[in-house]
Amino acid sequence: MPVRRTLLWPGGRYRAFTLSYDDGIEQDIPFIALLKKYRLQATFNLNPGVFGVKGEGGYDGMKFHHNKIPREQIQETYEGFEIANHTLTHPWLEQLPSGAIAYEVAECRKQLEDLCGRPVTGCAYPFGTYNDTVLRVLAECGVTYCRTVVSTRSFDIPKNFLLWHATCHHDDPELFSLADRFLAAKRQPGAPLLFYIWGHSYEFDAREHWGMIEEFFQKISGRDEVWYATNGEICDYVRAADQLVFTADGSVVQNPTAQPIWLDIAGKPACVEPGGLLRVRG
């Protein structure tokens, strides 16, 4: 029996929700205040080579600031959230030779790890672009997951975490209907649901969508049946579950990892404790 067909999220939950936001800009500060208000988790993808750089942009005649948070404010700003790799300077990776790709990824990782004092193995593709060389170099640099800009409008767990497609961007016209479908879905045999939103917080200024995103957070938050997690927590949990070992007849499962893993056993949640065994049938 494939593990992901029986997997549940921590606590035996059927649903998980995660967010991913790029560029490390000043609008992240009020956005993080909203996340804290609604007790949500998120991953922020940063470019340490351009910390503190000021800029501006525009959508349909609407101007917005694109000011990067200074290096000395990074740790305080993102305390309690995951920070991840968005490369050193935000280049088009597929246009670079492999050595330059490696430098952009590895140097970004090193500088972020120096700031946060822990391994940084998550990533998001600048501009959402990649090729086979980029995928190979990311793996060689120790990246365990990398988010694209593809919207699936589904709630699937990725088969390849280096090509992690989100459910949708926060400006997707189906955002609220997707939330309704996610929250109303009945537990079915197979993998649990994962609702993944991505974007840039400056877009809330550019499109005057601060009210919209707070309304969405009101809808999606505070659900006991939903696991609110960072991208890294989702990836680590699934990778740990993939290490479960079943007996040849599938009747007993062993958990060789240090993380409790929850499974759907005959329609009921059951936990395989770290280093433990669980009889799943027979």
Side-chain angles (χ1 to χ4, degrees), residues 201-278:
S201 60
Y202 66 75
E203 293 162 336
F204 302 129
D205 279 354
R207 295 173 178 171
E208 298 182 335
H209 278 179
W210 285 103
M212 177 276 291
I213 198 63
E214 182 161 14
E215 181 183 356
F216 175 73
F217 284 175
Q218 290 172 341
K219 184 182 191 69
I220 205 72
S221 65
R223 308 278 182 152
D224 290 340
E225 74 275 17
V226 178
W227 180 36
Y228 301 100
T230 65
N231 292 188
E233 288 170 332
I234 298 285
C235 179
D236 288 348
Y237 184 80
V238 174
R239 283 162 57 90
D242 286 342
Q243 295 181 58
L244 293 179
V245 181
F246 287 80
T247 55
D249 64 1
S251 63
V252 176
V253 59
Q254 180 182 26
N255 181 1
T257 78
Q259 183 162 1
I261 303 295
W262 288 78
L263 300 177
D264 186 326
I265 306 299
K268 296 181 180 180
C271 182
V272 195
E273 298 291 349
L277 297 170
L278 179 69

Side-chain angles (χ1 to χ4, degrees), residues 43-46 82-86 105-106 108-123 141-145:
T43 294
F44 291 90
N45 309 295
L46 310 182
E82 180 189 19
I83 62 173
N85 197 323
H86 202 34
V105 174
C108 176
R109 178 180 177 182
K110 179 183 182 302
Q111 291 193 29
L112 293 180
E113 290 174 343
D114 287 345
L115 280 170
C116 70
R118 58 176 298 171
V120 173
T121 64
C123 191
C141 289
V143 173
T144 56
Y145 75 81

Side-chain angles (χ1 to χ4, degrees), residues 131-151:
N131 57 20
D132 289 345
T133 300
V134 173
L135 290 172
R136 174 181 58 79
V137 172
L138 258 62
E140 291 170 348
C141 289
V143 173
T144 56
Y145 75 81
C146 198
R147 196 211 75 230
T148 73
V149 296
V150 175
S151 293

Side-chain angles (χ1 to χ4, degrees), residues 161-215:
F161 274 95
L162 288 180
L163 292 174
W164 194 350
H165 308 317
T167 303
C168 66
H169 186 276
H170 65 240
D171 277 338
D172 194 296
E174 295 187 20
L175 178 66
F176 283 86
S177 61
L178 284 165
D180 288 336
R181 180 155 60 91
F182 172 74
L183 294 172
K186 303 295 185 183
R187 182 173 293 184
Q188 302 288 334
L193 304 183
L194 172 60
F195 193 177
Y196 187 160
I197 304 299
W198 78 278
H200 308 83
S201 60
Y202 66 75
E203 293 162 336
F204 302 129
D205 279 354
R207 295 173 178 171
E208 298 182 335
H209 278 179
W210 285 103
M212 177 276 291
I213 198 63
E214 182 161 14
E215 181 183 356

